[in-house]
Amino acid sequence: MHDVGRIAGVSQVTVSRALSDPSKVSPETLTKVMGAVEATGFVPNAIAGALASRKSRLVSALVPSITNVVYSSMVRAFSERLRAHGYQILLSETGFAPEAEEATVVAHLSRRPDAIMLTGIQHTPQARRLLLAAGIPVVELWDVSDSPIDLCVGFHHVDAARAAAEFARDRGYRVAATVTAADERACRRRTGFAERFTRDTGNPVPDFDTGGAASIAAGRQGLAGLIDRHGIGGGLIYCSSDIIAHGVMIEAQSRGLRIPDELAVIGFGDQEFARHLEPALTTVRIDLAQLGQSAADAVLSRLDGQTPPSPVIDLGFEIVARASA
Amino acid sequence: MHDVGRIAGVSQVTVSRALSDPSKVSPETLTKVMGAVEATGFVPNAIAGALASRKSRLVSALVPSITNVVYSSMVRAFSERLRAHGYQILLSETGFAPEAEEATVVAHLSRRPDAIMLTGIQHTPQARRLLLAAGIPVVELWDVSDSPIDLCVGFHHVDAARAAAEFARDRGYRVAATVTAADERACRRRTGFAERFTRDTGNPVPDFDTGGAASIAAGRQGLAGLIDRHGIGGGLIYCSSDIIAHGVMIEAQSRGLRIPDELAVIGFGDQEFARHLEPALTTVRIDLAQLGQSAADAVLSRLDGQTPPSPVIDLGFEIVARASA
DNA sequence: TTGTATGCGTTATCAT
DNA sequence: ATGATAACGCATACAA
């Protein structure tokens, strides 16, 4: 800035002002400064700016996995809205373990983000402490909590699972099983489904835990395991995600099981492919874009010094009844 | 650090040393400092550290879309390797237009990353200039170039498309069309396929441009458009991605066209679902994890002051012959 | 509207 | 092994 100023015939501060708030300098000096900026290819050092202003214009986002469209869609919506307000997103994967998340939280907080978004409400006590001590807006996404760290935008997983169980019951299914990926929220949904279904039908709901991330292969193994171990030959399979459900459907079809007559399937997430499967997948829709936007809005209002009406926003879910169940 | 030092009974500099290089302080003071750090919940300010050391330990990554598994898989591999070496990733979406990318490049360079990864080799002249002037390792991913900005890791898109055309020819297909998403590289592949196929068979290759991002819906529209506008009733469809191919297959099946007998399909990318489709999708495999890792390794070696053997690394591709063509 | 002086919280360079 | 001091490049308060 010093050099740019010398070329433009002004001081370093004037360059700073011209760049950060053009209305604070006269039109002539603005032109001169911009000319010098062009000529030198000067790109301001945001690190120095952040240190001086104590504002990084950086917002952290922590998600379990970036290759999972569910999370990346939320992040996209979250990022776009924040970018429109001049913030950049520092994104990291945390995996599905709170301990791994904690290390990432520390790494992010050291960059002094102006706000931070986390996925879910399960964090280590130390992570909660650090987050609280950071004194910045914190938004927990993809779940609702009774004791949010700060802000919380999501939906009630157990309610969603119960609604699916009731849907299954109302459709007349009396036998059900679940295929669940290794994810705390997926497990909570699985339990919510099983309890409600058992309460309403009297029948136990066996589970297959894929032990890993959601994939078609995991879904196929899930149905195969259910058939081999529990002798499941029909009824309904409640899956922790659409991907798993896709795998279950493929496995069923390869075994000659007709869907939904011999085996019904319910997914979770309503990804694009769900409606295009044959038969189309019955699933639970979550408005990912809305989730991301609301989280961004909540953060922005806090950054603006406002107190949002409610710290926790429940955006709900919707059962999408299609042909697979 | 000053406060931490006071509690530990040492100076601020000693705290800095204890935290950044424990071997530079005595075991006793290390214990005292760490104790004080624990007690206060101190998280070092990486912004100040970056300003003072002129090293941000931040690496930028720019991809067209984060919801596209192709890109997010590469970013995951790239990030993991770099994180293992103490770097964090500042990730942004650029969309598919070089002009939008340029703005993102400026925003990223202002954060003074230690290196930067870009997707593809098409950038505005101004972006190239800024990147060059930044004086940091730059790696262009997902393509190969004769004139890389610095490093380049990818594969030859036209070659991959030609290989697909030759595969189609060898399988005896004489009629072909393409469905292409709005992406410069996809268009280049489309042209490569068409030219080679026409050269070998004498037949023109009509195209349907989806005009937007790849999706199942776009693939369905693509086949529908091809049938309506060009009277395509059979032959082979070369798609710009597996997702598009999936859509084409669904549309074909909904119209009662048998695959591959009445309509053959070739995808691109070999995503997980490709092998599970019915019939399994013939496609072109790109080793995304390897791409990301190699890019990270190239960057790391440059960061280490070494000169990599070759600035451009061609990782190639592989035709995966399955049942759909 | 513009300039001067000061500080942001570290690391690097010396010195002890 | 430890401490004092000076950058790092900008924004803020204040003065002109």
Side-chain angles (χ1 to χ4, degrees):
Chain A
M1 279 187 175
H2 199 86
D3 296 347
V4 171
R6 217 177 27 196
I7 294 176
V10 296
S11 75
Q12 175 261 322
V13 227
T14 304
V15 176
S16 172
R17 281 196 271 254
L19 257 26
S20 59
D21 186 357
S23 73
K24 291 188 132 188
V25 302
S26 76
E28 307 92 69
T29 54
L30 181 60
T31 319
K32 284 189 295 182
V33 170
M34 288 315 189
V37 167
E38 292 289 317
T40 55
F42 174 73
V43 177
N45 185 328
I47 290 185
L51 187 62
S53 68
R54 302 151 150 284
K55 289 193 198 79
S56 64
R57 309 238 63 159
L58 210 55
V59 173
S60 288
L62 270 42
V63 294
S65 159
I66 56 170
T67 55
N68 187 322
V69 190
V70 166
Y71 302 119
S72 56
S73 297
M74 288 195 298
V75 169
R76 128 104 46 83
F78 184 74
S79 307
E80 290 205 337
R81 173 129 327 177
L82 284 171
R83 178 170 36 218
H85 288 258
Y87 293 93
Q88 262 183 288
I89 305 299
L90 188 61
L91 177 66
S92 283
E93 276 185 315
T94 60
F96 289 89
E99 292 70 29
E101 188 195 57
E102 182 183 311
T104 313
V105 165
V106 173
H108 277 245
L109 289 182
S110 76
R111 303 267 172 203
R112 297 296 187 269
D114 290 341
I116 182 167
M117 180 267 262
L118 309 168
T119 305
I121 57 176
Q122 262 212 345
H123 317 288
T124 66
Q126 171 72 353
R128 281 187 76 96
R129 228 176 337 237
L130 292 171
L131 255 5
L132 244 13
I136 56 175
V138 177
V139 57
E140 294 167 274
L141 200 55
W142 191 240
D143 207 337
V144 288
S145 167
D146 291 331
S147 51
I149 298 176
D150 178 19
L151 303 162
C152 185
V153 179
F155 63 97
H156 200 96
H157 287 259
V158 172
D159 281 357
R162 283 180 184 153
E166 285 160 9
F167 173 87
R169 175 201 67 199
D170 294 345
R171 287 258 164 150
Y173 295 102
R174 287 292 167 272
V175 175
T178 57
V179 179
T180 314
D183 165 8
E184 182 270 327
R185 291 168 292 273
C187 292
R188 224 176 327 130
R189 292 197 299 273
R190 127 86 197 158
T191 305
F193 178 91
E195 286 181 357
R196 180 54 50 99
F197 194 83
T198 300
R199 189 196 77 176
D200 290 358
T201 67
N203 294 323
V205 177
D207 177 56
F208 184 96
D209 184 340
T210 69
S215 68
I216 292 177
R220 297 193 67 157
Q221 284 165 24
L223 181 59
L226 246 18
I227 291 172
D228 296 346
R229 296 186 201 166
H230 300 279
I232 298 286
L236 178 141
I237 311 288
Y238 175 72
C239 306
S240 67
S241 70
D242 285 353
I243 296 271
I244 296 276
H246 193 183
V248 166
M249 283 178 63
I250 287 168
E251 185 64 21
Q253 284 160 344
S254 85
R255 287 169 181 252
L257 289 168
R258 280 177 297 114
I259 301 172
D261 303 333
E262 298 180 291
L263 193 85
V265 182
I266 297 183
F268 184 84
D270 194 27
Q271 290 187 33
E272 199 219 352
F273 66 83
R275 84 197 59 185
H276 294 291
L277 294 180
E278 189 50 44
L281 181 64
T282 291
T283 186
V284 183
R285 177 182 302 155
I286 308 297
D287 192 336
L288 303 170
Q290 188 59 55
L291 236 44
Q293 279 175 28
S294 297
D297 286 338
V299 162
L300 285 168
S301 77
R302 281 290 313 276
L303 250 16
D304 230 48
Q306 302 167 29
T307 309
S310 165
V312 20
I313 301 173
D314 185 344
L315 255 26
F317 54 86
E318 181 190 351
I319 300 281
V320 183
R322 290 199 270 248
S324 73
Chain B
M1 279 187 174
H2 199 88
D3 297 346
V4 171
R6 217 175 27 196
I7 294 175
V10 298
S11 76
Q12 175 263 334
V13 226
T14 304
V15 176
S16 172
R17 280 196 271 255
L19 257 26
S20 59
D21 186 358
S23 73
K24 291 188 132 188
V25 301
S26 75
E28 307 92 70
T29 53
L30 181 59
T31 320
K32 284 189 293 183
V33 169
M34 287 315 187
V37 167
E38 292 289 315
T40 54
F42 173 73
V43 176
N45 185 327
I47 290 186
L51 186 63
S53 68
R54 302 152 149 284
K55 289 192 197 78
S56 64
R57 308 236 58 154
L58 210 55
V59 172
S60 289
L62 270 43
V63 294
S65 159
I66 56 170
T67 55
N68 187 323
V69 190
V70 167
Y71 302 119
S72 57
S73 296
M74 288 196 297
V75 169
R76 129 103 46 81
F78 184 74
S79 307
E80 290 206 337
R81 171 121 337 167
L82 284 172
R83 177 169 41 218
H85 289 258
Y87 293 93
Q88 263 183 285
I89 304 300
L90 188 62
L91 177 65
S92 284
E93 277 186 316
T94 59
F96 289 89
E99 291 71 27
E101 188 194 58
E102 182 183 311
T104 313
V105 165
V106 173
H108 277 247
L109 289 182
S110 77
R111 303 271 171 201
R112 297 295 186 269
D114 290 341
I116 182 167
M117 179 267 262
L118 309 168
T119 305
I121 57 176
Q122 263 212 345
H123 316 290
T124 65
Q126 171 71 351
R128 283 187 75 98
R129 224 174 340 231
L130 292 170
L131 256 4
L132 243 14
I136 56 176
V138 177
V139 57
E140 296 167 273
L141 200 55
W142 191 241
D143 207 336
V144 288
S145 166
D146 291 332
S147 51
I149 298 176
D150 180 17
L151 303 162
C152 185
V153 178
F155 63 97
H156 200 96
H157 287 257
V158 172
D159 281 358
R162 284 180 184 154
E166 285 160 10
F167 173 86
R169 175 202 66 200
D170 294 345
R171 287 258 165 149
Y173 295 102
R174 286 292 167 271
V175 175
T178 57
V179 178
T180 314
D183 164 7
E184 181 271 327
R185 291 169 292 274
C187 292
R188 222 172 334 128
R189 292 197 299 273
R190 128 85 196 158
T191 305
F193 178 91
E195 287 180 356
R196 180 54 52 97
F197 194 83
T198 300
R199 189 196 77 175
D200 289 359
T201 67
N203 295 323
V205 177
D207 177 55
F208 183 95
D209 184 341
T210 69
S215 68
I216 292 177
R220 295 192 69 155
Q221 285 165 22
L223 181 58
L226 246 18
I227 291 172
D228 296 346
R229 296 187 203 165
H230 301 280
I232 299 285
L236 178 141
I237 311 290
Y238 176 73
C239 306
S240 68
S241 70
D242 285 353
I243 296 270
I244 295 277
H246 193 183
V248 166
M249 284 178 63
I250 287 169
E251 184 65 21
Q253 285 160 343
S254 85
R255 288 171 181 250
L257 289 169
R258 282 177 298 113
I259 301 172
D261 303 333
E262 297 179 293
L263 193 85
V265 182
I266 297 184
F268 184 85
D270 194 28
Q271 290 188 32
E272 198 218 354
F273 66 82
R275 82 195 62 184
H276 295 290
L277 295 180
E278 188 49 45
L281 181 64
T282 291
T283 185
V284 182
R285 176 181 300 152
I286 307 298
D287 192 336
L288 302 171
Q290 188 58 55
L291 237 41
Q293 279 176 29
S294 297
D297 286 339
V299 162
L300 284 168
S301 77
R302 281 288 315 274
L303 250 16
D304 231 48
Q306 300 167 29
T307 309
S310 165
V312 18
I313 301 173
D314 185 345
L315 255 26
F317 55 86
E318 181 191 349
I319 300 281
V320 183
R322 291 199 269 246
S324 73

